[in-house]
Amino acid sequence: MTVRIGVITWPGSLDDRDAQRAVRLAGAEPVALWHGSHDLDGVDALVLPGGFSYGDYLRSGAIAALSPIMTEVKDAAANGLPVLGICNGFQMLVEAHLLPGGLIRNDHQHFVRRDQKLTVENSDTAWTNQFKTGQEIVIPLKNGEGGYIASEETLDRLEGEGLVAFRYAGLNPNGSLRDIAGITNEAGNVVGLMPHPEHATEPGFGPDTSAAMRSGTDGLGFFTSAISAIVRVAA
C-alpha cells in the first residue's frame, strides 16, 4: 500500500516543505493540506509542522489551534489517526488540548538553535516504534518558546504512565520541566516534541556525526515509524 501523510500549512509555517520532503524520503506520499479547509483528503497520518503560525500572537500555536482544519484533526486523532506536532505543531497540540501542559518562553529568554541530543523514553508510539527505549538520537532544535510546563500532578502522571516520549540529554536547552522534550497521548497515536526530526532525514543535511559532517539521519525514524504503524494496522 502507498501510505499518504498529510502536512498542514498555516500562515507563518516555515517547515512544511521540509516535512513533506521527510515524508517522501521515508517512503510515503506527502499530501499538502491547508489550515482553512475541513478536508483531510483521506490521509493515513498528519504532521503539524514548525514555524511561527500567525506570528505567534497571543501564545505560540493558540490561534492556529482554532483553525477550521483542527476540528478534523481532533476527530481524526480521537479515532486513532497518527498525528505528529513538531515545534509550533507541538504548541498547537497543547493549545488544542490534544496533549497536556503548555510551552512558554525559554528560561534564558533567547532563541536557541543547536543539534540536540534526545533520549527516547517511549518506543511504543506510532511515531517512535523504529527506535529503542533508552536510545540516544540527535536532531536539530530551534525555538524561542520551547519550555515545557505542566502541573506537578500532570508531570507525575506523564512519568507514571510512560507518556514522556523524549527527554533532553546532555543539557536542557530551554528550561523544560523534568527535561521533557516530547510527550505522547495515552493511545500513542499523538506525539508532540520541540526538536525538528524533519531536519535530520537526509545525509549531507543533518547534524554532524562521528562519521561525517551533516550526516545525521536520526529524524527519519519518526516517519518510518508512522509508515510501519499504518501498514501494521492495515494488514
Side-chain angles (χ1 to χ4, degrees), residues 81-94:
L81 193 81
V83 179
L84 177 66
I86 303 170
C87 196
N88 192 215
F90 184 16
Q91 294 162 342
M92 295 177 201
L93 291 178
V94 299

Side-chain angles (χ1 to χ4, degrees), residues 31-115:
V31 179
L33 301 174
W34 183 240
H35 74 107
S37 172
H38 283 284
D39 186 5
L40 296 182
D41 200 12
V43 297
D44 302 300
L46 287 167
V47 176
L48 282 58
F52 301 92
S53 58
Y54 295 97
D56 280 349
Y57 289 112
L58 298 183
R59 295 179 306 277
S60 297
I63 299 176
L66 302 175
S67 297
I69 203 167
M70 289 302 291
T71 300
E72 279 62 43
V73 172
K74 290 178 182 178
D75 289 344
N79 288 321
L81 193 81
V83 179
L84 177 66
I86 303 170
C87 196
N88 192 215
F90 184 16
Q91 294 162 342
M92 295 177 201
L93 291 178
V94 299
E95 290 288 346
H97 306 296
L98 285 170
L99 291 173
L103 292 147
I104 62 172
R105 187 74 179 167
N106 296 345
D107 61 350
H108 46 70
Q109 300 298 306
H110 295 289
F111 187 91
V112 60
R113 182 186 66 182
R114 67 188 311 273
D115 290 342

